[in-house]
Amino acid sequence: MARRPGALPPAHASLVCVALPALAVSTDQGQLNGRGLEGFYRSGRRMLSRCQVRVAGREPVAVQARMLSADSARFVATVLPSTEGGPDPDIVVERIRHADGTERITLHSAASRPLRLPVEVSLGTDLAELGAVASGTAGPELPASVHDSGMRWSSGRGNCVVTAVPAPKDALASAGLLRWEVQLPPSQSVELRVRPDGGGPVRAVGHGASSPLASPGAAGDDPTVQRLLETSVADLRALLLRDPAHPADVYVAAGAPWRCGLAPAEALAAARMALPLGTRLAVGTLRTLARSQLKKPGPRSGMIPGPMRAAGPLLPPGCTGVEATLLFPVLLAEAWRWGIPEADMEELLPPAERCLRWLLDALGDSTFLADPHPDGPARCETQAHAHRAALLGADLLDAHGRTGGTDLRQWAERLRGRFREEFWVADRTGGRPAAARRPDGRPVPYLTGSAAHLLDTGLLGAGALAPGLLDKVQTEQLARLLGGPAMDSGWGLRSLGAKEAAYNAFGHRSGAVRLHETAVAVTGMAAAGYEKEAGSLLRGVLAAAEAFGHRLPEMYGGEQRVAGSAPLPHPAACRPAAVSAAAGVQLLTLLAGIRPDAPAGTVTLNPVRSAPLGELGLTALRVAGAPFSVRVSRLGLAMVEEAADGLQLGV
């Protein structure tokens, strides 16, 4: 039966090996049975959907499945060849599966006598697109043909070849069956290689010296920090893609298994959070998106195009192109502070100027930036993005002798005054920011996780942060609300308060924990001095990370944490996801409060004084193009241990 529109097969229990453009999706049973999402994929097409192993006519019993790395998983099963020796299995079947389409099957024997056993591998595929697999319309398996030492399938959609080393003793095309006779001991292995006909192995962008990301280390009192940082960086590397027309430029895909392509807003947000790993990812992302920028005259001129995105039950879908257009100059401005080469700055300044010009043109005579369609609301987070873009953009333009900075600052000042009056909903508890403002001026008075963006003001020169849209009293109230039980689930920040009528613990914009918003909230509250609330959210995410094997999904259930509980996976969440992996980097590096100003040759440290994770050392980050290491003591004092020559510690 075809799946209903909008439904996705559950992926939360899957082991997803990623090395884009390839991935392998498996259940914890190890066998690929052709059900759901199972299979090897390349460039969005399922190369192999079925890979079933039988030993001595029996299906092995799965005993363990675990990820070895971002792109590989290990499955262990056992076989009892006969019942004569008792209940203890004496054959172990180990399968190491790689995203690039390689699987190694090894048999180990603990039997007291030599064994000669038949081993069969049954293969099949539909060569379906991922979208068809997700919608339940993949179609039947294709007929196979024997090809060299394996099998081949072909259709109008493509082709696939599976080769085996060593070659099988028998091959039966009608069943897609390969068969060997193995002698145990010693251990015996078979390697399967899944490729498009004529295609070679996948060369993942993130592997080797070509990776744009540093290889940092973390150590300290909290044992989870090292695993979280290693896994986060590995997942970012696994999601890297090259611009096909400009292979020197790389960016991160939004996430696997559903969004293995470029999503502009997510790519920019991830590159921004990953700036402590170097500026090369930011440069590649900005270059790629600059080529997509709309340049023809009209109301959309200067925009970075992006799709619509659901905004939950309270607001209509929003245009991610607006968010991407406002993030573009912010990422460039902050990458400049982290040490982007001047030649890249000169190339990327013109598209950033066009983004800022679009902002002023879209505002016209208005103070608030509304959605770019008739009767569109003015969203709270959009005002935060626009205000930050205006201030950081003006700073960037002034520093490079460009005009336009004065107009941007003047508008930002007007916005601050009106936002504090017209977006703030007063109540007996001290008030809250509205989720949005309707065209007729009425507020949408719900507290959402997107309010955290009001605390994300952005980095200016000399380690200073840009001013925010809220005054001091409002900032304190927002920090109290975001750190309160209605928003802090104990595992992270809910996307909608638990007391709101539309709350749904699994609603991706109406109650689920979204990692990007949680990282923004933690960073903003810590920078504003509300360390107690920031520390609570941070510790909740670290506990969730441990439950998820340190590979954080893009979102998970917002159910309240209680003693002995675990975070609830969201069945449709990407895992890995670019913004979640980058959030893992940001959540750890924010504890040191690294605020570089590479053009001025300085770096300022503003560590979290409460040291919520105790002592923490971070090594092999990158500031001003050179390795940077810092240590935060249990007293919340930070010390630079390695830095670029000539980089001075600011005050």
Side-chain angles (χ1 to χ4, degrees):
M1 178 182 293
R3 197 169 287 108
R4 65 180 177 83
L8 293 172
H12 61 283
S14 299
L15 284 76
V16 183
C17 305
V18 185
L20 293 185
L23 67 152
V25 183
S26 318
T27 72
D28 59 3
Q29 297 301 296
Q31 299 276 43
L32 298 181
N33 296 307
R35 304 189 190 110
L37 285 173
E38 293 176 69
F40 288 95
Y41 294 80
R42 185 183 289 203
S43 300
R45 183 175 300 283
R46 183 154 64 179
M47 294 284 101
L48 192 69
S49 57
R50 187 165 55 84
C51 182
Q52 300 162 316
V53 175
R54 292 177 69 87
V55 178
R58 299 168 183 252
E59 183 170 342
V61 176
V63 296
Q64 188 186 73
R66 67 183 182 93
M67 298 295 298
L68 296 178
S69 62
D71 64 349
S72 63
R74 178 178 185 255
F75 305 90
V76 177
T78 61
V79 179
L80 185 64
S82 70
T83 59
E84 297 175 1
D88 298 335
D90 45 20
I91 303 296
V92 172
V93 182
E94 178 189 49
R95 302 172 73 169
I96 306 295
R97 185 168 295 153
H98 298 270
D100 67 359
T102 303
E103 177 163 337
R104 190 170 187 86
I105 304 165
T106 303
L107 274 67
H108 307 274
S109 174
S112 58
R113 57 188 175 81
L115 298 175
R116 187 173 184 85
L117 302 172
V119 175
E120 298 175 339
V121 177
S122 181
L123 306 169
T125 188
D126 46 27
L127 292 176
E129 294 281 356
L130 177 59
V133 177
S135 64
T137 59
E141 284 190 0
L142 299 169
S145 60
V146 176
H147 181 83
D148 290 339
S149 59
M151 292 285 167
R152 184 180 189 276
W153 298 263
S154 182
S155 75
R157 299 189 294 269
N159 56 69
C160 173
V161 171
V162 175
T163 56
V165 179
K169 178 181 178 182
D170 300 301
L172 183 62
S174 60
L177 189 69
L178 305 179
R179 187 175 184 276
W180 295 261
E181 291 283 343
V182 299
Q183 183 79 38
L184 299 174
S187 299
Q188 297 290 322
S189 295
V190 171
E191 184 170 281
L192 304 176
R193 298 167 186 170
V194 184
R195 308 278 190 266
D197 196 0
V202 172
R203 295 183 178 180
V205 179
H207 289 183
S210 64
S211 173
L213 302 171
S215 299
D221 292 338
D222 192 312
T224 65
V225 296
Q226 181 177 354
R227 283 285 310 280
L228 177 58
L229 186 60
E230 288 176 351
T231 303
S232 296
V233 174
D235 282 345
L236 283 172
R237 286 178 173 153
L239 291 168
L240 288 172
L241 288 172
R242 295 189 188 277
D243 185 331
H246 300 83
D249 295 336
V250 298
Y251 54 86
V252 284
W258 310 118
R259 306 174 67 207
C260 296
L262 175 61
E266 283 88 342
L268 288 163
R272 184 178 177 225
M273 291 190 287
L275 281 171
L277 306 181
T279 61
R280 286 179 57 198
L281 177 61
V283 170
T285 304
L286 291 167
R287 280 179 175 164
T288 300
L289 293 177
R291 288 188 280 270
S292 73
Q293 189 175 37
L294 304 177
K295 301 181 180 67
K296 291 183 179 179
R300 302 184 69 212
S301 179
M303 283 193 74
I304 307 294
M308 301 297 287
R309 177 170 58 200
L314 305 175
L315 291 169
C319 178
T320 62
V322 172
E323 184 179 348
T325 305
L326 298 173
L327 271 171
F328 190 104
V330 168
L331 176 57
L332 181 61
E334 293 191 322
W336 179 52
R337 297 294 176 191
W338 281 87
I340 190 174
E342 196 60 36
D344 294 321
M345 280 299 307
E346 291 299 320
E347 177 186 352
L348 292 167
L349 265 174
E353 285 183 284
R354 288 191 286 270
C355 291
L356 296 168
R357 195 176 306 121
W358 170 85
L359 169 59
L360 293 175
D361 291 345
L363 287 164
D365 297 329
S366 302
T367 301
F368 300 121
L369 181 62
D371 285 5
H373 55 76
D375 299 323
R379 303 171 194 261
C380 175
E381 69 267 30
T382 300
Q383 313 317 304
H385 294 322
H387 183 259
R388 182 182 59 216
L391 292 180
L392 270 64
D395 188 54
L396 191 65
L397 295 177
D398 288 354
H400 290 82
R402 309 295 180 106
T403 60
T406 300
D407 291 341
L408 290 164
R409 287 194 184 90
Q410 289 176 347
W411 169 75
E413 186 176 358
R414 291 196 304 273
L415 176 63
R416 283 196 295 277
R418 288 195 60 188
F419 187 94
R420 293 169 184 179
E421 295 179 1
E422 299 181 34
F423 258 83
W424 193 261
V425 180
D427 59 31
R428 289 180 298 176
T429 67
R432 63 178 63 185
R437 189 174 181 271
R438 296 185 176 94
D440 61 7
R442 290 180 299 138
V444 179
Y446 298 99
L447 181 61
T448 68
S450 62
H453 291 286
L454 294 170
L455 302 173
D456 178 11
T457 60
L459 180 64
L460 296 173
L465 297 178
L469 281 174
L470 302 179
D471 62 27
K472 181 174 177 56
V473 173
Q474 291 170 336
T475 300
E476 182 177 1
Q477 171 68 357
L478 178 58
R480 185 182 70 80
L481 290 172
L482 296 182
M487 295 299 293
D488 183 354
S489 70
W491 303 113
L493 184 73
R494 294 186 178 98
S495 53
L496 182 68
K499 296 181 180 179
E500 306 292 355
Y503 171 74
N504 171 7
F506 284 102
H508 77 289
R509 298 274 173 173
S510 56
V513 174
R514 300 180 65 241
L515 262 296
H516 182 200
E517 287 179 351
T518 301
V520 168
V522 173
T523 305
M525 288 194 289
Y530 302 101
E531 296 186 358
K532 178 182 177 182
E533 294 83 356
S536 175
L537 285 173
L538 172 62
R539 287 188 290 270
V541 171
L542 290 182
E546 197 163 14
F548 286 114
H550 301 92
R551 173 180 264 189
L552 286 164
E554 62 177 325
M555 59 182 170
Y556 44 87
E559 185 180 65
Q560 186 64 41
R561 181 181 180 183
V562 296
S565 68
L568 296 175
H570 194 296
C574 284
R575 181 169 170 261
V579 290
S580 296
V585 175
Q586 179 168 306
L587 285 167
L588 295 179
T589 55
L590 74 85
L591 294 171
I594 306 166
R595 300 181 186 176
D597 190 354
T602 64
V603 62
T604 302
L605 300 180
N606 291 85
V608 178
R609 298 294 180 181
S610 58
L613 303 184
E615 185 174 351
L616 174 67
L618 299 168
T619 59
L621 303 173
R622 296 197 75 80
V623 174
F628 185 86
S629 301
V630 62
R631 182 168 299 277
V632 181
S633 74
R634 297 183 184 93
L635 299 177
L637 302 176
M639 177 185 299
V640 174
E641 296 187 331
E642 182 182 24
D645 292 340
L647 191 66
Q648 301 296 315
L649 184 63
V651 178

